[in-house]
Amino acid sequence: MIIEYLCKNYEASDKLKTVIDKKVQKLDKFFDDDTRIKIGLKKGNTRSFNDQYTLELTVLLDNTVLRAEVTSDNMYNNIDLALPKLEKQIIRHHKKIESKSKKFRAKGLSVEEEIVEEGELEKAVVRSKCYTLIPMSIDDAIEELELVGHNFYVFLNKSTNSINVLYVRNDGNYGLIETVV
């Protein structure tokens, strides 16, 4: 497992990195040796008396990104909180892959049929919307996002002529996803 540290407004001690490395290595049983995990450490800009520390664990697989993020007043506690979250996602991902491979190995099973494991509900598209994309600037899209009251907004970027997704981040700021064809 290849571990990368990304620090923002936070200086990680060697002791902290050693503890994180030791605990993250327990996830090694799920992955190959060349699997990359990014560990983001940052100190939040809060105006309260207690500092807030955020730990992000991101596992980069072939077609999937698994991610866990935890914020508290102690970075060592964050490790113990984030690892179980990430482990649940890993197990769920492995079960999904296993279920798909069983589906295609079974004889006489058509592609439309689904195998639903016990205790797992099948998810489906329950609503569909279609609308015309209007070219607009990012500032106009922010205004539209605030008007509709959703947590994301899809629009045609006037300057790049590409489809973009504007979303509200957990910290209240905005994020922008730009598509490239």
Side-chain angles (χ1 to χ4, degrees):
M1 197 172 229
I2 302 167
I3 299 174
E4 293 179 22
Y5 286 93
L6 305 168
C7 298
K8 182 179 180 185
N9 298 335
Y10 185 79
E11 190 66 37
S13 67
D14 291 335
K15 181 183 175 188
L16 178 64
K17 286 183 179 181
T18 304
V19 170
I20 292 173
D21 286 346
K22 183 179 177 184
K23 292 190 178 195
V24 167
Q25 290 300 332
K26 293 178 183 177
L27 299 175
D28 210 13
K29 61 186 174 189
F30 295 111
F31 303 113
D32 298 330
D33 291 337
D34 62 341
T35 302
R36 295 176 55 182
I37 183 166
K38 291 185 179 181
I39 299 172
L41 307 168
K42 66 181 175 182
K43 182 177 177 182
N45 297 331
T46 60
R47 296 182 185 181
S48 64
F49 295 107
N50 296 335
D51 290 327
Q52 293 292 309
Y53 301 96
T54 302
L55 172 77
E56 297 176 10
L57 299 174
T58 307
V59 178
L60 304 170
L61 300 174
D62 292 334
N63 297 326
T64 308
V65 176
L66 304 174
R67 187 173 175 277
E69 180 178 336
V70 177
T71 302
S72 76
D73 58 352
N74 185 340
M75 193 62 82
Y76 289 93
N77 290 342
N78 286 350
I79 302 163
D80 296 329
L81 296 172
L83 280 174
K85 284 184 174 183
L86 189 61
E87 194 168 343
K88 283 181 187 177
Q89 288 182 25
I90 293 167
I91 292 169
R92 197 175 322 128
H93 177 70
H94 280 281
K95 283 183 180 178
K96 183 195 273 186
I97 290 173
E98 187 178 290
S99 174
K100 285 183 179 180
S101 66
K102 281 182 185 177
K103 180 174 89 171
F104 291 113
R105 281 187 295 195
K107 292 184 179 181
L109 187 63
S110 69
V111 177
E112 288 79 29
E113 293 177 301
E114 292 287 328
I115 296 176
V116 180
E117 294 182 15
E118 288 183 31
E120 192 175 318
L121 296 175
E122 185 177 340
K123 295 182 182 180
V125 176
V126 294
R127 186 171 180 200
S128 178
K129 266 189 175 177
C130 182
Y131 65 98
T132 305
L133 294 176
I134 301 169
M136 62 178 66
S137 68
I138 295 173
D139 293 333
D140 293 338
I142 291 172
E143 289 178 20
E144 289 292 323
L145 174 66
E146 291 173 353
L147 283 174
V148 295
H150 293 175
N151 54 4
F152 72 94
Y153 187 75
V154 180
F155 68 101
L156 184 62
N157 193 328
K158 189 187 296 186
S159 61
T160 62
N161 203 27
S162 65
I163 298 172
N164 290 183
V165 178
L166 182 72
Y167 63 95
V168 180
R169 295 172 44 94
N170 289 339
D171 61 2
N173 292 317
Y174 299 105
L176 181 70
I177 299 173
E178 298 182 61
T179 59
V180 179
V181 181

